[in-house]
Amino acid sequence: MIAILKKELWSYFGNWSAWIIIAAFSLITTLFLFFFDNDSNIFEIGMASLQSYFVLVPWLLMFIIPALSMKTFAEEQQTGTLNWLFSQPLKISDLVFGKFFSVWIVGILCLIPSLIYLYTVYVLGVPAGNIDLGMTFGSYIGLIILIAAFSGVGILASSLSQNQIMAYLLGVFMCFIMYFGIEQLASYKLLGGADFILQNIGFYQHFLGFTRGLIDFKDVAYFVLIIGIALVLSNHFINKKK
């Protein structure tokens, strides 16, 4: 697994793709938070808070994480190197976990530049330091876990696809459904009491707790379960291709 992880990280950082994605992610969030006239602009909100950042980022991750994960298995199959990997003394589970952790790590690195925003808001607060650090750090933990969930879903999409474009589109669709689609469907209250159950199947309600500074064991367990299911299914579909 460590060998696969190193190989994947080198493939991201060795050809500048990870650097470009991190830079693009940081540029987009900076424009929305400080320059564009929108509901996420920190100066227009007038509060020493990064709450708008934590609302914006999941939407960007829906497109960025599938872009990172689409090549994990779809490219291997497209180029024929997947069969070569099958011939190596590797467990399929090691292959899946190695690729999963590589996508997760690059996704987490996308958040590092936001520490500049945290410092900026901390300094600009009146008085300086007037920011809810508990809510902020809880939200960061929530984002890290959400990135892991999106990574698991992206890996699953790549294991189901035979080319990278299909893997990307399927990954974006699955992430959208899990984060926003199920939540919206439940909001129409068409299923009566079952709406609450449906609402808790999606990512949004479980991520929302973190953005309030609440790290609930149930929310953590939910994401661990989702990631586990996604990776087990990925392992199954890759085994079928062996």
Side-chain angles (χ1 to χ4, degrees):
M1 188 189 77
I2 299 298
I4 294 295
L5 175 60
K6 289 180 179 178
K7 168 187 171 294
E8 290 296 311
L9 288 176
W10 175 250
S11 72
Y12 287 125
F13 290 99
N15 62 5
W16 295 94
S17 60
W19 300 108
I20 293 172
I21 288 175
I22 293 171
F25 180 85
S26 302
L27 176 62
I28 293 171
T29 52
T30 300
L31 291 174
F32 272 95
L33 292 178
F34 295 100
F35 294 97
F36 289 166
D37 184 12
N38 64 94
D39 293 337
S40 298
N41 191 300
I42 290 176
F43 294 124
E44 292 189 9
I45 294 172
M47 293 177 59
S49 172
L50 281 180
Q51 192 64 26
S52 58
Y53 174 78
F54 299 117
V55 172
L56 172 66
V57 167
W59 290 95
L60 298 179
L61 292 174
M62 266 184 233
F63 297 94
I64 287 177
I65 299 301
L68 291 169
S69 63
M70 67 181 184
K71 65 185 284 295
T72 51
F73 288 110
E75 184 186 46
E76 301 278 14
Q77 186 167 351
Q78 201 171 359
T79 58
T81 54
L82 189 59
N83 290 327
W84 176 81
L85 286 172
F86 288 154
S87 67
Q88 302 303 305
L90 288 168
K91 294 180 181 178
I92 301 300
S93 58
D94 290 339
L95 195 59
V96 171
F97 276 104
K99 290 178 178 290
F100 164 74
F101 281 116
S102 67
V103 174
W104 190 15
I105 289 171
V106 176
I108 292 173
L109 291 177
C110 288
L111 303 179
I112 300 299
S114 70
L115 296 177
I116 298 173
Y117 312 149
L118 177 58
Y119 176 76
T120 302
V121 172
Y122 185 88
V123 171
L124 292 178
V126 180
N130 183 29
I131 182 173
D132 189 339
L133 291 178
M135 184 188 72
T136 301
F137 289 124
S139 299
Y140 270 113
I141 292 172
L143 278 182
I144 290 171
I145 296 175
L146 185 64
I147 290 171
F150 280 157
S151 299
V153 172
I155 293 289
L156 175 58
S158 187
S159 70
L160 288 167
S161 308
Q162 295 185 354
N163 63 75
Q164 294 187 65
I165 295 175
M166 184 58 67
Y168 177 72
L169 294 176
L170 182 60
V172 171
F173 175 74
M174 292 169 68
C175 288
F176 174 81
I177 291 298
M178 290 301 296
Y179 181 77
F180 185 72
I182 293 176
E183 173 67 21
Q184 276 299 102
L185 184 60
S187 70
Y188 290 124
K189 302 189 182 302
L190 301 174
L191 303 175
D195 285 320
F196 176 76
I197 298 173
L198 181 63
Q199 196 174 45
N200 281 277
I201 293 175
F203 292 170
Y204 182 79
Q205 284 298 319
H206 297 279
F207 174 68
L208 198 61
F210 290 100
T211 63
R212 295 167 178 160
L214 303 173
I215 303 176
D216 194 325
F217 173 77
K218 292 180 181 178
D219 294 329
V220 175
Y222 163 81
F223 280 113
V224 170
L225 177 63
I226 291 295
I227 295 165
I229 291 173
L231 295 183
V232 167
L233 289 175
S234 300
N235 189 84
H236 170 71
F237 289 120
I238 295 301
N239 259 314
K240 290 183 68 175
K241 296 179 180 180
K242 189 171 182 180

